[in-house]
């Protein structure tokens, strides 16, 4: 009787593990989803490293372009385009901060051809019962930080990402429903003007 109970428990655990494994989205499927995401826009909520919360609208035009327009009272604007990320902070008297896109974890999801199966790019791939989390970094420049992307299924949909930059700061972006497709003007991503 004990053996039968033990076998029942082991079988139940194995079935649960198999079901959970079946829900974990494969890296190839996630790469295909990101590659198919040519244009999209939607609302976002950002949790900053200091605990403050910002909201706004995100515009994505792959490859290489994204725009974060922040709602009041925030007046910030982040634009990636022309292989550059520019951060405008109108509350300060400082000029915009500029980084090469290749030196940010955003470059992974904005790449022309996303391939999460690339050697050493993915440092974590897990499933928590709700979402598949993929942690990725530039394998040639791990000092630039990493990005943790959360996808829900059954077909992959990007719901959130956490950027851990090279300075130890962490920024979480939670996406509302992304409207895919549509024509987004290249002027939205012109880093030389706001």
């Amino acid at each position: 009787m004990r053996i039968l109970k033990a076998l029942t428990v082991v079988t139940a655990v194995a079935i649960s593990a198999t079901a959970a494994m079946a829900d974990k989205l494969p890296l190839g499927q996630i790469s295909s989803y990101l590659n198919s995401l040519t244009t999209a826009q939607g609302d976002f909520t950002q949790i900053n490293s200091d605990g403050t919360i910002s909201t706004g609208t995100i515009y994505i035009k792959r490859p290489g372009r994204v725009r974060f327009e922040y709602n009041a009272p925030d007046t910030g604007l982040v634009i990636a385009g022309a292989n550059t990320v520019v951060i405008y902070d109108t509350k300060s008297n400082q000029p915009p901060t500029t980084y090469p896109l290749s030196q940010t974890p955003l470059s992974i999801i904005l790449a022309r051809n996303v391939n999460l199966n690339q050697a050493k790019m993915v440092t974590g791939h897990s499933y928590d019962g709700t979402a598949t989390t993929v942690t990725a970094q530039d394998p040639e420049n791990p000092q630039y930080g990493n990005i943790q992307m959360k996808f829900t299924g059954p077909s992959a949909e990007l719901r959130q990402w956490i950027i851990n930059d090279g300075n130890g700061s962490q920024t979480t972006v939670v996406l509302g429903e992304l409207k895919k497709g549509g024509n987004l003007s290249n002027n939205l991503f012109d880093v030389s003007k706001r």
Side-chain angles (χ1 to χ4, degrees):
M1 189 70 161
R2 285 186 194 170
I3 294 174
L4 183 58
K5 284 183 181 178
L7 284 174
T8 303
V9 169
V10 169
T11 303
V13 169
I15 289 170
S16 296
T18 302
M21 292 296 284
D23 291 334
K24 181 172 149 181
L25 297 167
L27 294 176
Q29 182 180 353
I30 293 171
S31 296
S32 294
Y33 162 78
L34 290 171
N35 287 323
S36 72
L37 189 65
T38 53
T39 60
Q41 69 182 66
D43 296 330
F44 73 88
T45 300
Q46 178 174 307
I47 303 159
N48 303 303
S49 59
D50 63 2
T52 59
I53 296 175
S54 306
T55 61
T57 304
I58 183 172
Y59 302 90
I60 300 170
K61 190 170 187 179
R62 295 186 59 261
R65 292 167 283 194
V66 70
R67 178 184 180 103
F68 296 88
E69 287 182 4
Y70 291 86
N71 294 331
D74 292 315
T75 56
L77 177 67
V78 176
I79 302 174
N83 297 314
T84 303
V85 176
V86 180
I87 302 170
Y88 296 95
D89 181 4
T90 56
K91 289 182 182 177
S92 83
N93 293 328
Q94 301 297 317
T97 307
T98 305
Y99 302 95
L101 177 60
S102 63
Q103 292 183 10
T104 71
L106 274 177
S107 64
I108 293 168
I109 60 174
L110 296 177
R112 180 172 301 282
N113 182 26
V114 176
N115 179 4
L116 296 173
N117 288 311
Q118 177 182 339
K120 298 182 183 175
M121 176 175 279
V122 172
T123 59
H125 181 212
S126 61
Y127 180 72
D128 65 7
T130 303
T132 298
T133 302
V134 176
T135 303
Q137 66 184 23
D138 179 344
E140 294 179 16
N141 297 288
Q143 71 275 16
Y144 297 153
N146 65 44
I147 186 168
Q148 293 173 300
M149 300 168 284
K150 292 191 179 284
F151 299 87
T152 57
S155 60
E157 286 191 50
L158 181 60
R159 295 294 184 194
Q160 172 180 319
W161 68 71
I162 301 167
I163 292 183
N164 300 291
D165 71 17
N167 300 321
S169 295
Q170 186 177 79
T171 303
T172 301
V173 174
V174 180
L175 300 174
E177 186 172 341
L178 285 178
K179 290 192 300 185
K180 298 175 197 128
N183 188 18
L184 296 178
S185 169
N186 287 334
N187 288 334
L188 281 172
F189 311 98
D190 186 342
V191 296
S192 66
K193 58 184 176 183
R194 300 191 299 147

